Amino acid sequence: MTKQEALLKYVLRLADNVSILGHRLGEWCGHGPVLEQDIAMTNIALDCIGQARNYYQYASKIEGIDKTEDDYAYLRDPLDYYNLLIVEQPNKDFAYTIVRQYFFDVFHFLFLQKLSDSKDKQLAAIAEKAIKEVTYHCKWSGDWVLRLGDGTDTSHEKMQHAIDILWTYTGEMFLMDEVDEILLKEKIGVDLIGLRQEWLKIVSEHFKEATLTLPETTWSQKGGKQGYHSEHLGYILADMQYLPRTYPGSIW
Amino acid sequence: MDTTKNKVLQEVWEILEQVPDPEIPVLSAIDLGIIRDVIFHDGKIEVVITPTYTGCPAMNMIEVNIKSILQENGFQNSMVTTVLSPAWTTDWMSEKGKEKLKAYGIAPPVGKTSDKHVLMGEEKLVCCPQCGSNHTELISQFGSTACKSLYKCLDCKEPFDYFKCH
């Protein structure tokens, strides 16, 4: 794999993570538990989609062919999507959405901190911009983890249930493959293994305060980064890509 | 030559004062601090802008408005380029802009981002733009647009938008 091929895949992975998570959060629009939280989730979705646009635009520059950001978002099949499995997991209930968001937000924050030192100027610039937004995301999901974890018996139970299921999707965030290794050597990519300790420290201290328990299992789901997804992604893309695929080239 | 160039650039900066933020029309693109540079080369104008928030839908609109107002003023084929770094901060908002925001009913950003308390996420005292009381309370970090959060005044009981320090 050349450095160029690795960089393209790396950028698409970052783009797909925020694009799919943004879509999931957007599904809450009009269904949030209270108006303010409906607005919060769609605000965060907007940040995610904005970040995805930056990455997709950069991907098209790397490929150097006549492709737009929309081509990447709307005309690729599940096997060509490289997002982490955690971001495509369904919203289920508010607790489930919060836990998914919190696990990803803390990782995202630590990851962007490192990426803003990347030797790749464009990735560093996108990260520098995104981290200001992700700081708000971390605060929002972190506050809800506390409030629901240390809340009523029902909210606690729902949070713990969500943690027990989603926990097995967190390991994938810290797995390195050939793409990550090539770019780490070039000082473009991030050392994911190195992030794990800090992530675990932040999450476990916060869970302790929220009276929630971290599962003990170390087994992890994986494959999203390589294009192997849970069945959920197919449904997301069917929904997201319906219009541009049914009416190719339509604009408004 | 240089004086003509400077004159043109000054004219463009003045024209850009008339480009409003589509979401908060009392603010111009210049008040917001999103115009980073104006370059004059080969008889064409290039305006360099930076987004406030990555996903802000107003940015596309501002870009279109910049091009059309320049065209109306006789500058053909002007270009708008977007840069991400250094990332936009409310520190770049003009004092005039902050005054206009307050008069419009939106509390302007309090303090500078270089202030450590802001970075640590500590809440600043936000004054109610209606009655001036600092007896206010945060309702939600996220408001009607990406750049604002929701507050309420505990004295006059009015809810209001706060332009976040970012």
Side-chain angles (χ1 to χ4, degrees):
Chain A
M1 190 182 290
T2 66
K3 182 185 140 191
Q4 198 73 356
E5 286 165 350
L7 182 62
L8 176 66
K9 203 156 188 184
Y10 198 75
V11 171
L12 286 176
R13 284 175 179 175
L14 301 182
D16 294 343
N17 277 344
V18 270
S19 166
I20 297 300
L21 185 61
H23 183 87
R24 276 293 188 221
L25 288 167
E27 289 174 352
W28 272 106
C29 185
H31 303 279
V34 287
L35 185 60
E36 285 79 7
Q37 298 316 317
D38 196 300
I39 292 171
M41 284 186 279
T42 41
N43 258 273
I44 296 170
L46 193 62
D47 289 339
C48 288
I49 292 163
Q51 291 163 15
R53 289 188 61 191
N54 283 340
Y55 290 124
Y56 285 138
Q57 285 164 9
Y58 185 39
S60 96
K61 270 204 190 129
I62 296 168
E63 274 210 284
I65 50 170
D66 197 17
K67 251 188 189 177
T68 69
E69 50 189 304
D70 287 347
D71 293 333
Y72 291 107
Y74 296 128
L75 301 177
R76 280 181 305 146
D77 292 324
L79 279 170
D80 299 318
Y81 259 80
Y82 305 119
N83 59 277
L84 295 164
L85 296 172
I86 191 167
V87 298
E88 70 198 40
Q89 297 311 303
N91 291 337
K92 291 201 179 164
D93 56 26
F94 191 62
Y96 207 83
T97 297
I98 291 296
V99 172
R100 183 188 66 202
Q101 193 67 30
Y102 180 69
F103 281 154
F104 183 76
D105 283 345
V106 176
F107 162 76
H108 201 193
F109 181 83
L110 296 173
F111 178 86
L112 291 173
Q113 256 185 346
K114 296 280 181 211
L115 193 68
S116 59
D117 289 330
S118 171
K119 261 180 86 179
D120 183 297
K121 290 252 158 53
Q122 187 61 14
L123 281 182
I126 296 173
E128 189 201 342
K129 181 85 201 148
I131 199 164
K132 295 180 105 183
E133 294 152 8
V134 171
T135 308
Y136 292 118
H137 305 174
C138 281
K139 185 155 190 337
W140 178 80
S141 59
D143 282 352
W144 276 107
V145 165
L146 271 187
R147 191 161 162 188
L148 296 175
D150 194 16
T152 65
D153 288 347
T154 309
S155 72
H156 177 87
E157 190 191 320
K158 286 193 170 186
M159 287 295 281
Q160 192 59 52
H161 178 68
I163 289 165
D164 293 344
I165 294 174
L166 287 166
W167 180 250
T168 54
Y169 292 96
T170 57
E172 194 192 7
M173 302 191 287
F174 309 101
L175 291 181
M176 302 276 289
D177 70 355
E178 195 191 351
V179 172
D180 293 301
E181 295 291 354
I182 291 173
L183 294 178
L184 180 60
K185 223 189 250 162
E186 297 284 340
K187 296 196 167 64
I188 291 173
V190 173
D191 174 16
L192 298 172
I193 297 170
L195 296 181
R196 187 173 194 145
Q197 253 344 76
E198 202 175 348
W199 180 87
L200 199 59
K201 188 168 169 276
I202 295 172
V203 171
S204 51
E205 279 173 10
H206 199 63
F207 275 13
K208 207 171 156 193
E209 202 183 335
T211 71
L212 295 162
T213 316
L214 275 190
E216 275 169 19
T217 173
T218 51
W219 181 81
S220 178
Q221 299 273 7
K222 59 183 179 203
K225 284 169 71 170
Q226 288 76 29
Y228 303 109
H229 293 277
S230 62
E231 66 170 329
H232 304 299
L233 185 69
Y235 289 95
I236 294 177
L237 295 185
D239 188 13
M240 195 169 107
Q241 301 182 333
Y242 165 77
L243 197 92
R245 288 205 191 244
T246 313
Y247 303 97
S250 61
I251 49 166
W252 63 355
Chain B
M1 178 61 200
D2 259 8
T3 44
T4 344
K5 198 172 158 184
N6 285 341
K7 237 175 133 182
V8 171
L9 290 179
Q10 201 188 337
E11 191 189 339
V12 173
W13 279 100
E14 277 164 21
I15 293 169
L16 293 174
E17 288 269 8
Q18 300 161 37
V19 178
D21 175 340
E23 301 272 9
I24 311 165
V26 289
L27 288 186
S28 74
I30 290 184
D31 292 329
L32 270 174
I34 58 169
I35 311 262
R36 302 316 299 154
D37 205 357
V38 177
I39 306 160
F40 183 54
H41 50 75
D42 306 328
K44 277 187 226 159
I45 294 292
E46 181 183 354
V47 180
V48 183
I49 61 173
T50 193
T52 50
Y53 284 72
T54 315
C56 180
M59 292 309 296
N60 288 354
M61 186 97 173
I62 290 176
E63 190 178 325
V64 170
N65 289 345
I66 288 175
K67 282 186 190 160
S68 75
I69 200 161
L70 285 175
Q71 185 152 12
E72 282 165 27
N73 284 275
F75 296 98
Q76 306 298 328
N77 306 319
S78 59
M79 263 171 48
V80 176
T81 39
T82 302
V83 292
L84 295 175
S85 179
W88 177 82
T89 156
T90 41
D91 297 352
W92 297 343
M93 188 183 281
S94 68
E95 286 307 314
K96 201 170 84 188
K98 288 182 186 170
E99 283 305 313
K100 284 198 255 178
L101 264 185
K102 203 174 156 193
Y104 189 61
I106 298 172
V110 178
K112 294 272 181 195
T113 48
S114 52
D115 183 341
K116 278 217 180 74
H117 297 289
V118 175
L119 278 180
M120 303 308 285
E122 278 179 40
E123 302 300 341
K124 282 274 188 172
L125 267 186
V126 175
C127 289
C128 170
Q130 313 289 345
C131 73
S133 160
N134 58 18
H135 193 206
T136 60
E137 187 179 71
L138 175 74
I139 301 174
S140 173
Q141 282 284 352
F142 299 92
S144 55
T145 63
C147 53
K148 288 177 283 183
S149 51
L150 282 174
Y151 270 75
K152 87 174 163 205
C153 177
L154 299 171
D155 282 334
C156 74
K157 314 285 182 205
E158 283 287 324
F160 64 92
D161 275 335
Y162 167 59
F163 204 109
K164 300 190 257 219
C165 197
H166 187 74

